[in-house]
Amino acid sequence: MTALTLSTAAAPGLRADAIVIGVAKGTGSRSGDLVVAPGAEAVDKAYDGKLAGVLETLGASGAEGELTKLPAPAGFKAPLVVAVGLGAEPDAKTENEDAEGGEGYDAEALRKAAGVAARALAGSKKAAFALPVDSPGAVGAIAEGILLGAYSFDVYKENGKDAKAKNGKAPLAEAALLGGKPRDAAHKGAVARAVAVTEELNRARDLINTPPNDLTPAIFAGIAQTAAKEHGIKVQVLDEKALTKGGYGGILGVGGGSAAAPRLVKLSYTHPKADKHLAFVGKGITYDSGGISLKPAGHNETMKCDMSGAAAVFAAVVAAARLGLEVNLTGWLALAENMPSGSAVRPGDVLRMYSGKTVEVLNTDAEGRLVLADALWAASQENPDAIVDVATLTGAMMLALGSRTFGVMANDDAFRSAVHEAAEEVGEPAWPMPLPEHLRKGMESQVADIANMGERMGGGLVAGLFLREFVGEGITWAHLDIAGPAFNEGGPFGYTPKGGTGSAVRTLVRLAELTAAGDLG
């Protein structure tokens, strides 16, 4: 990953390939004007205070994500100035200068701006970021943006991440955060947190982007074992024999059609002072063909991403361990490959789940809820304070919320609100969704306790109601349907790359932090 340093150096004398500054759309008395954001004073001075005018001449407006390059002024050791838009300038009259922003600028605006600049500077050895920094929160946001924006996945290209690769440029090698205080504990802590979270989030992206022939359930489980050993996390892997002995009918049913056998991985991070226990459960379908209910052409090319929920849970537990959070965390990775074959589960089959309930399978492409059901019940047996599951579960949620927002459902309204707020706080768009009781009737079965399909309309909510059936009584639970934002099929934006995004990792880490601090109920 890109190396990060905090620097008190002045922009003119710093040896770098580029100086990154922020610009914004003026508000109030400066409405309509382009404004140079705090942090770039030395750069503006070198342009005789006319930097905004020069940028406007070049077409800059300050819009979020907009990037403008221009030659550095005389006397600068860096040859290039990169101006990146921060959106609207904060109202000077508002009190918005808390730990989440710098000079009133929203943390997510800083994060996106840093990400855009870092991606644009691929191939550079060093860049100095002179963005608004007056708090540890701003330092952390900019650091996250740089590390996430500089991400690339090149391991399958001819020369990998070699800077001379034929297929592209190496990521930005080094970034200096100007205005950051290298001796300040809070600033150093913000960078350390950003590094831990983004390294694990980028690991999740790598897993999501890995072709399914190189990421079977067994391989994924092995990767989890290696990481767990490195970071002091206990790990238990149930293979097909253990799953059969334990009666995990959902995971076995989904994985029965593949030559790559399923796995259930349990990751346990404990802290000696912790008195709260959270369980995270992730859907890990390493490839989803739809099974016997085969997906049509055009709908299966990206189905390597159907393990994004398990990747997010894995990354969040490891990040929490690296941060030493005062909370007990259990991560459950329900791993299977959904393939059609003579041994695959068929529409009309009845599975006996780990909980003892029976499920009539009406559609084998509604498989994620089956593996999650077993993992949710397993998590419930430990009676945690709360369970959060994460899954690329339904196309219906994408129809409802689009490709950048995930849905949040829960059996407790206050907890649903808390999860939604945590997601928005860290910059992951989310929206609270209901669990209408009348939709439960559509899953009634004549031959089993419940069917895995219900009404077509409101399908994302139906899936949530199905999962709720497998949460232990009295346990607070939330379900994150990340089907939209987990995999970006369009062009990169902000700090989000094309391909796997690592959606929900930061939300889970934030929930763990809030629990450790005693601020999550």
Side-chain angles (χ1 to χ4, degrees):
M1 281 179 52
T2 303
L4 283 180
T5 57
L6 295 170
S7 176
T8 57
L14 190 67
R15 293 188 181 279
D17 295 301
I19 305 292
V20 178
I21 65 168
V23 292
K25 294 181 176 181
T27 58
S29 61
R30 298 195 288 185
S31 180
D33 296 337
L34 185 70
V35 176
V36 178
E41 291 83 359
V43 181
D44 190 26
K45 183 179 179 181
Y47 284 97
D48 297 324
K50 299 178 181 179
L51 177 56
V54 172
L55 289 167
E56 283 185 314
T57 300
L58 294 173
S61 68
E64 187 177 277
E66 179 186 75
L67 188 138
T68 307
K69 296 181 179 180
L70 69 164
F76 273 57
K77 292 185 178 180
L80 183 69
V81 171
V82 176
V84 62
L86 294 167
E89 176 191 31
D91 189 335
K93 295 181 180 180
T94 63
E95 295 182 2
N96 190 30
E97 298 183 14
D98 57 18
E100 280 298 309
E103 293 287 337
Y105 283 92
D106 177 71
E108 182 66 358
L110 295 174
R111 199 178 286 119
K112 288 180 178 177
V116 168
R119 184 171 58 253
L121 290 168
S124 300
K125 293 183 178 180
K126 183 175 182 178
F129 285 73
L131 295 171
V133 174
D134 75 339
S135 69
V139 170
I142 295 168
E144 284 185 10
I146 293 168
L147 296 175
L148 295 176
Y151 171 83
S152 66
F153 184 72
D154 302 312
V155 294
Y156 286 87
K157 294 180 179 179
E158 183 178 0
N159 294 306
K161 294 192 176 185
D162 188 327
K164 297 181 181 178
K166 297 177 182 178
N167 297 303
K169 300 176 180 178
L172 173 65
E174 182 182 349
L177 277 63
L178 303 189
K181 303 172 183 176
R183 296 184 180 180
D184 184 282
H187 281 208
K188 289 192 295 183
V191 170
R193 179 192 181 278
V195 169
V197 173
T198 56
E199 281 187 351
E200 296 311 321
L201 192 154
N202 283 338
R203 191 208 301 252
R205 288 173 169 178
D206 283 349
L207 289 169
I208 297 164
N209 289 326
T210 298
N213 57 314
D214 281 347
L215 192 71
T216 63
I219 294 173
F220 196 153
I223 292 170
Q225 287 176 305
T226 300
K229 183 177 181 180
E230 180 182 354
H231 297 288
I233 301 168
K234 292 182 179 179
V235 61
Q236 179 184 10
V237 178
L238 300 185
D239 61 14
E240 60 269 37
K241 292 182 180 179
L243 291 169
T244 300
K245 183 177 180 180
Y248 291 85
I251 296 175
L252 288 167
V254 173
S258 174
R263 297 287 188 272
L264 178 62
V265 179
K266 177 185 177 183
L267 300 167
S268 301
Y269 162 71
T270 58
H271 191 285
K273 295 182 180 179
D275 58 6
K276 292 288 185 180
H277 177 198
L278 281 181
F280 296 152
V281 177
K283 172 187 172 183
I285 304 299
T286 56
Y287 181 73
D288 182 19
S289 70
I292 297 297
S293 305
L294 193 67
K295 292 180 184 290
H299 290 77
N300 49 22
E301 288 80 1
T302 61
M303 281 299 102
K304 64 182 181 181
C305 78
D306 214 16
M307 37 59 66
S308 296
V313 167
F314 168 48
V317 173
V318 176
R322 291 180 60 173
L323 295 171
L325 299 183
E326 196 170 309
V327 62
N328 293 330
L329 278 182
T330 307
W332 299 83
L333 316 181
L335 308 176
E337 186 177 67
N338 187 24
M339 296 290 285
S341 75
S343 59
V345 66
R346 295 152 293 214
D349 281 354
V350 174
L351 302 177
R352 185 170 296 278
M353 314 297 281
Y354 181 54
S355 69
K357 288 188 182 200
T358 55
V359 176
E360 181 183 12
V361 179
L362 298 180
N363 187 324
T364 66
D365 197 22
E367 85 298 328
R369 65 198 71 183
L370 298 175
V371 300
L372 285 174
D374 277 354
L376 282 168
W377 189 253
S380 296
Q381 303 317 294
E382 298 187 341
N383 199 33
D385 293 287
I387 299 174
V388 180
D389 78 70
V390 187
T392 47
L393 207 60
T394 66
M397 195 57 57
M398 295 178 68
L399 291 174
L401 298 178
S403 61
R404 297 191 184 185
T405 303
F406 63 74
V408 182
M409 287 157 262
N411 61 2
D412 179 274
D413 289 346
F415 189 60
R416 181 184 62 189
S417 296
V419 173
H420 175 224
E421 290 169 7
E424 294 289 341
E425 181 183 349
V426 298
E428 295 194 313
W431 196 253
M433 302 293 283
L435 290 173
E437 293 298 333
H438 71 274
L439 291 177
R440 171 62 179 84
K441 184 175 178 61
M443 289 185 284
E444 291 181 357
S445 168
Q446 292 185 347
V447 298
D449 295 320
I450 190 172
N452 78 326
M453 293 291 289
E455 294 183 28
R456 179 171 176 269
M457 299 302 177
L461 312 182
V462 170
L465 286 165
F466 180 91
L467 295 178
R468 191 182 64 178
E469 297 277 329
F470 298 90
V471 177
E473 185 175 355
I475 298 176
T476 302
W477 157 79
H479 161 55
L480 312 185
D481 190 335
I482 63 170
F487 196 83
N488 175 28
E489 295 188 59
F493 59 92
Y495 50 82
T496 301
K498 185 179 177 68
T501 66
S503 178
V505 172
R506 289 179 294 144
T507 296
L508 296 181
V509 173
R510 187 61 185 145
L511 290 173
E513 289 175 326
L514 291 168
T515 301
D519 296 331
L520 194 69

